[in-house]
């Protein structure tokens, strides 16, 4: 399939992730032992044969560009097509919550007009899922719809914000309801929730964006919402595992969910690999004293202690008599001797000194800031 | 023609490594996995780029398919250079015929045009089947400082092993006075590591001369080096002191791997200063299941462990199903161990399926030591049926 190109709108941030996104965009937040958030949608595109992908960069994009480079690890360092870094707009507060900002599309219109692909698949970079985008585009092309929105049919309980969709019997979208964070719960909301991914014909996308140039601070989804009567906008349900990271709680929750065998198999061990930047690390060493159960562990770690229901990142050292439970320990952090670490998200290069006891709660995990020492 | 190169490396990777038996049934020795995620050739290639040598000819002959695809463009070692990089050099036909590589010297002789196309000052001859890290640039400086014609990298080996090597005697300043390949009665314990630096012009002459000698076996150690010494050329010995291992037999391959499980292994790949590059596939992090038990082991990405793994090395993309015990064993990439298997002191080749309830390394009943120090080997790409039992020290190989 070569008739689609990708657009990842990563110009989005949130204060809900606290120290985790203080110095990095959500798109490059480490996730799942060796990945960054953007790897999931980027791999979904690449696995569908898409070889032209634009990434709208957010504020503070150093770590994102460090990760993506020229796109080599996603086969996007190419002569024809490839990875396009599209500067996003910065205005107002740093933590802009508009995901599909029309202004970002206007400013990068060349990316959309220079290519001749028929369709554009547009996503954000804050969701964890492994989806066959190839069939999605095929289905969109066959249906004759103007736009196809991907949705989760049954709203997972934790999603209290986002765009809820009302669909008629033929899955045409009749109503879109945007619920802001912190809004009172409305039991009459439709159950289908927009999954931050849609397919649109490239020409129509360019036209629509152009018509809304005067109000370029709008979210493109609100543009669609205004045109439900004029355009044929249909929904396509994704039935696999999908979760959204938009807060510290949801980060840990989603991390723990990836430890469930079913989700884990679907995300990582299926036919469509998730690609990421390769670190050429040594194998992980498990000492005789290691005790590891239900854990995702990448290369380059040294484990001498106890790791349970947790996710480690490359280069983590777990010392003798350390106990780590329900936690995420990022790259090259050190967990010292006789420690207890539970419900903790330790960012990169954190040192947890000997004897420390650090516990968050299930609902309120504790975040240890990058390079901090305990 | 590109810019004149200071040094071009010729990496001999065509050998079968027949003493590795089942492990080299389908791949050349340099392509055999080592230490979990590496292949033996990674060490030489990493040494090249670590020494600033960006042009490497890899001479292949035996079972080259995996080696060719593994090396690819050389990008995994940052060797995808314009005007340099990795070049796979198989034997080829020319007007008037062509022939297989008849020996190490003949292999390089057949590729003299590759060397001259880069017009180097020196040529570094390497073999692709040793485990070590070395800065060839230091050896190169030594070579240039001594105005040597040829420099041979040497190290002291135990006297009792000396008869297995090319043994040489050198004066105080490093000048070599005698050289004998695999001597019955070694007069020194300075062994050649099979790493040579030649001045390029001299190499061309020496190889042409060797080619014309019908009594020559076309081997650097047997023929070329002794002849040059006799001719009074200046040969110097560059002393290397560090870890260097020829994992040429099942026993040495097994022990070199197992040494990596020590707290401070003699060859410390875990030292961050040692950078060994390899062509890694993208695999997810290892998944250690709730029912798993892992002790004193090395495990790579892409593995999924439900059973017990003790004192073992799991290469990338290995799966150990529930109820299985893998003890004192080495599992090569892509292999699946079914349920309720027992593996003791086994080496299982790449992409092999071990059916459930199998037992590899069944203790022999009779007295006496088992063959091969009791190490059981299963070749690559095998499918062992359910309930397969293999006695310790046996080799399982289709061929």
């Amino acid at each position: 399939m070569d008739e689609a190109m990708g657009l990842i709108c990563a110009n989005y941030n949130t204060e809900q992730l606290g120290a985790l996104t203080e110095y990095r965009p959500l798109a490059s937040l480490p996730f799942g032992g060796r990945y960054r958030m953007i790897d999931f949608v980027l791999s979904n595109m690449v696995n569908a044969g898409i070889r032209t992908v634009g990434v709208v960069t957010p504020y503070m994009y150093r770590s994102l560009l460090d990760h993506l480079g020229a796109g080599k690890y996603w086969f996007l360092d190419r002569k024809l097509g490839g990875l396009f870094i599209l500067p996003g707009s910065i205005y107002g507060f740093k933590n802009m919550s508009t995901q599909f900002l029309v202004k970002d599309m206007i400013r990068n219109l060349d990316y959309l007009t220079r290519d001749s692909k028929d369709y554009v698949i547009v996503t954000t970079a804050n969701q964890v899922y492994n989806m066959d985008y190839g069939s999605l585009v095929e289905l969109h092309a066959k249906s004759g719809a103007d736009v196809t929105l991907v949705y989760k049919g049954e709203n997972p309980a934790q999603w209290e914000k986002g765009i809820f969709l009302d669909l008629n019997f033929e899955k045409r979208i009749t109503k879109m309801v945007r619920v802001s964070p912190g809004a009172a719960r409305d039991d009459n909301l439709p159950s289908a929730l927009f999954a931050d991914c849609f397919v649109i014909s490239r020409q129509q996308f360019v036209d629509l964006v152009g018509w809304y140039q005067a109000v370029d601070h709008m979210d493109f989804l609100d543009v669609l919402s205004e045109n439900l009567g004029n355009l044929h906008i249909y929904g396509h349900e994704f039935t696999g595992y999908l979760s959204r990271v938009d807060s510290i709680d949801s980060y840990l929750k989603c991390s723990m969910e990836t430890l469930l065998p079913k989700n884990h198999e679907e995300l990582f061990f299926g036919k469509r690999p998730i690609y990421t930047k390769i670190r050429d690390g040594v194998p992980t060493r498990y000492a005789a004293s290691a005790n590891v159960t239900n854990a995702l562990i990448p290369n380059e770690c040294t484990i001498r202690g106890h790791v349970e229901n947790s996710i480690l990142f490359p280069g983590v050292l777990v010392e003798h008599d350390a106990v780590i439970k329900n936690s995420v320990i990022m790259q090259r952090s050190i967990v010292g001797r006789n420690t207890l670490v539970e419900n903790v998200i330790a960012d990169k290069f954190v040192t947890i000194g000997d004897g420390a006891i650090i516990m968050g709660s299930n609902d309120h995990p504790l975040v240890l800031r990058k390079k901090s020492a305990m | 023609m590109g810019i004149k190169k200071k040094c071009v490396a010729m990496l001999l990777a065509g050998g079968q490594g027949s003493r590795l038996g089942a492990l080299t049934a389908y791949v050349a020795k340099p392509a055999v996995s080592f230490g979990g995620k590496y292949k033996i050739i990674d060490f030489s290639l990493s040494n090249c780029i670590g020494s600033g040598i960006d042009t490497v000819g890899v001479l292949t002959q035996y079972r080259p398919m995996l080696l060719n695809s593994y090396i690819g463009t050389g990008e995994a070692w940052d060797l995808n250079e314009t005007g340099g990089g990795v070049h796979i050099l198989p034997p080829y036909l020319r007007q008037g015929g062509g022939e297989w590589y008849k020996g190490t010297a003949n292999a390089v002789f057949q590729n003299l045009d590759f060397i001259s196309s880069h017009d180097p000052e020196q040529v570094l001859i390497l073999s692709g089947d040793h485990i070590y890290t070395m800065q060839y640039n230091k050896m190169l400086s030594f070579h240039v400082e001594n105005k040597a014609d040829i420099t041979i990298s040497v190290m002291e080996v135990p006297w009792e092993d000396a008869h297995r090597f090319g043994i040489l005697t050198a004066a105080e300043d490093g000048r070599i006075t005698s050289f004998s390949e695999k001597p019955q009665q070694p007069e020194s314990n300075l062994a050649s590591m099979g790493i040579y630096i030649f001045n390029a012009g001299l190499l061309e002459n020496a190889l042409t001369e060797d080619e014309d000698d019908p009594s020559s076996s076309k081997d650097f150690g047997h023929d070329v080096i002794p002849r040059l010494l006799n001719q009074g050329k200046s040969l110097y010995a560059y002393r290397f002191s560090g870890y260097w291992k020829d994992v040429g037999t099942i026993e040495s391959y097994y022990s070199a791997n197992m040494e990596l499980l020590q707290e401070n292994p003699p060859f410390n790949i875990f030292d961050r200063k040692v950078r060994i590059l390899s062509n890694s596939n993208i695999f997810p992090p290892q998944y250690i299941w709730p029912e798993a038990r892992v002790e004193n082991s090395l495990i790579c990405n892409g593995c999924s462990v439900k059973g017990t793994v003790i004192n073992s090395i799991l290469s990338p993309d290995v799966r150990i199903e529930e109820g299985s015990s893998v003890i004192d064993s080495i599992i090569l990439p892509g292999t699946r161990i079914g349920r309720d298997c027992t593996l003791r002191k086994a080496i299982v080749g790449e992409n092999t399926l071990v059916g459930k309830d199998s037992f590899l390394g069944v203790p022999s009943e009779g007295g006496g030591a088992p063959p091969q120090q009791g190490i059981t080997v299963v070749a690559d790409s095998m499918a062992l049926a359910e309930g397969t039992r293999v006695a310790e020290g046996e080799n399982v190989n289709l061929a």
Side-chain angles (χ1 to χ4, degrees), chain A residues 40-224:
Chain A
F40 294 91
V41 284
L42 196 50
S43 301
N44 286 344
M45 289 181 180
V46 166
N47 285 328
I50 294 172
R51 293 292 182 270
T52 305
V53 179
V55 176
V56 181
T57 57
Y59 186 70
M60 299 280 259
Y61 53 78
R62 185 203 58 81
S63 86
L64 182 60
L65 292 202
D66 180 4
H67 181 66
L68 294 176
K72 169 172 160 180
Y73 300 107
W74 300 266
F75 326 116
L76 294 172
D77 55 340
R78 308 167 59 80
K79 285 183 183 167
L80 305 177
L83 180 69
F84 292 80
I85 301 295
L86 311 172
S89 347
I90 301 168
Y91 75 100
F93 293 105
K94 131 183 157 188
N95 292 308
M96 262 183 342
S97 62
T98 311
Q99 292 190 292
F100 301 98
L101 186 66
V102 171
K103 191 184 182 81
D104 285 344
M105 291 149 196
I106 303 256
R107 287 170 62 136
N108 295 294
L109 213 53
D110 280 356
Y111 168 68
L112 294 167
T113 52
R114 275 193 195 156
D115 213 288
S116 60
K117 304 278 188 297
D118 293 331
Y119 304 102
V120 191
I121 178 157
V122 188
T123 71
T124 57
N126 60 343
Q127 303 196 100
V128 175
Y129 64 126
N130 187 331
M131 182 178 178
D132 181 0
Y133 280 1
S135 320
L136 171 68
V137 174
E138 216 167 277
L139 200 128
H140 170 83
K142 254 188 229 158
S143 73
D146 294 311
V147 188
T148 301
L149 304 189
V150 177
Y151 68 93
K152 280 299 287 177
E154 280 174 45
N155 174 22
Q158 80 274 21
W159 288 17
E160 290 165 3
K161 57 188 177 187
I163 297 170
F164 292 82
L165 310 173
D166 233 346
L167 298 101
N168 71 10
F169 67 97
E170 52 175 358
K171 297 212 168 168
R172 181 163 177 184
I173 293 164
T174 54
K175 197 165 108 190
M176 295 166 71
V177 187
R178 184 184 281 278
V179 177
S180 308
R185 202 179 170 88
D186 178 358
D187 290 334
N188 295 324
L189 279 177
S191 63
L193 187 67
F194 173 53
D196 293 351
C197 172
F198 62 90
V199 188
I200 185 168
S201 99
R202 188 183 56 84
Q203 194 53 54
Q204 190 142 40
F205 193 33
V206 169
D207 292 345
L208 271 169
V209 166
W211 294 333
Y212 280 79
Q213 194 155 6
V215 280
D216 62 7
H217 57 280
M218 273 181 82
D219 190 311
F220 188 75
L221 263 290
D222 294 325
V223 171
L224 293 183

Side-chain angles (χ1 to χ4, degrees), chain A residues 34 259 269 281 286 297, chain B residues 37 75 278 283 286-287 319:
Chain A
R34 71 174 299 192
L259 282 173
F269 280 95
Y286 295 78
I297 298 178
Chain B
K37 65 169 285 188
E75 101 178 275
S278 68
F283 287 112
Q286 307 145 37
Y287 186 36
R319 297 200 182 195

Side-chain angles (χ1 to χ4, degrees), chain B residues 70-84:
Chain B
Y70 184 72
I71 293 172
T73 61
E75 101 178 275
W77 302 268
D78 287 345
L79 283 167
N80 50 340
E81 293 262 344
T82 309

Side-chain angles (χ1 to χ4, degrees), chain A residues 258-317:
Chain A
T258 60
L259 282 173
L260 298 174
K262 185 181 154 290
N263 296 341
H264 184 261
E265 287 290 313
E266 180 185 328
L267 281 174
F268 302 121
F269 280 95
K271 275 187 234 147
R272 299 182 299 270
I274 303 297
Y275 298 99
T276 190
K277 180 176 175 177
I278 293 186
R279 287 172 56 89
D280 219 343
V282 292
T284 280
R285 289 202 277 183
Y286 295 78
S289 55
N291 182 357
V292 180
T293 173
N294 197 31
L296 270 181
I297 298 178
N299 279 351
E300 252 185 287
C301 295
T302 302
I303 300 168
R304 304 191 175 112
H306 178 97
V307 181
E308 180 180 337
N309 299 333
S310 294
I311 297 178
L312 308 187
F313 281 75
V316 167
L317 168 63

Side-chain angles (χ1 to χ4, degrees), chain B residues 185-197:
Chain B
Q185 244 114 40
E187 56 184 64
S188 118
N189 66 337
L190 269 190
S192 162
M193 296 159 66
I195 300 169
Y196 314 106
I197 292 175

